[in-house]
Amino acid sequence: MPITVAAISLDGKELAKSASVLIVRLTDVSNTGMLFGNETRQLVKKTGALPLLLHRGSATVEFADGRPCKITALNCDGAVRTVESTFKDGICSFRADTALFPGGVMACRLAR
């Protein structure tokens, strides 16, 4: 299954110059009890209800801009926690994983 990771500047600057970037690891989120009528999930038979089910998925994210960064995960319930990252040869790298913390992780914030 393809993985999509989006980076959004939170301070209105270009990504390369931004001091605050939101990293969203797009994964399958659906209601508990949701029922589909086909394998492509284009036919919804039952919409389900809360709580949302966040499917597990991960991706390694790298920023090559020569500056170290601090990564924090934004938990689905609003909690913020630090994510381990590395900085080597001008590349900041971390693992974006929806299951890093209890309750699921929807996004990470990169601060430089």
Side-chain angles (χ1 to χ4, degrees), residues 44-59:
V44 178
K45 288 186 149 188
K46 186 177 176 186
T47 58
L50 294 177
L52 292 176
L53 301 174
L54 178 65
H55 290 212
R56 186 174 185 151
S58 67

Side-chain angles (χ1 to χ4, degrees), residues 30-76:
S30 57
N31 284 332
T32 298
M34 194 166 194
L35 180 64
F36 296 95
N38 57 19
E39 288 182 16
T40 61
R41 300 176 73 162
Q42 293 176 329
L43 175 62
V44 178
K45 288 186 149 188
K46 186 177 176 186
T47 58
L50 294 177
L52 292 176
L53 301 174
L54 178 65
H55 290 212
R56 186 174 185 151
S58 67
T60 298
V61 179
E62 296 181 339
F63 279 83
D65 71 355
R67 294 183 286 174
C69 52
K70 178 182 175 185
I71 309 297
T72 52
L74 308 174
N75 197 303
C76 293

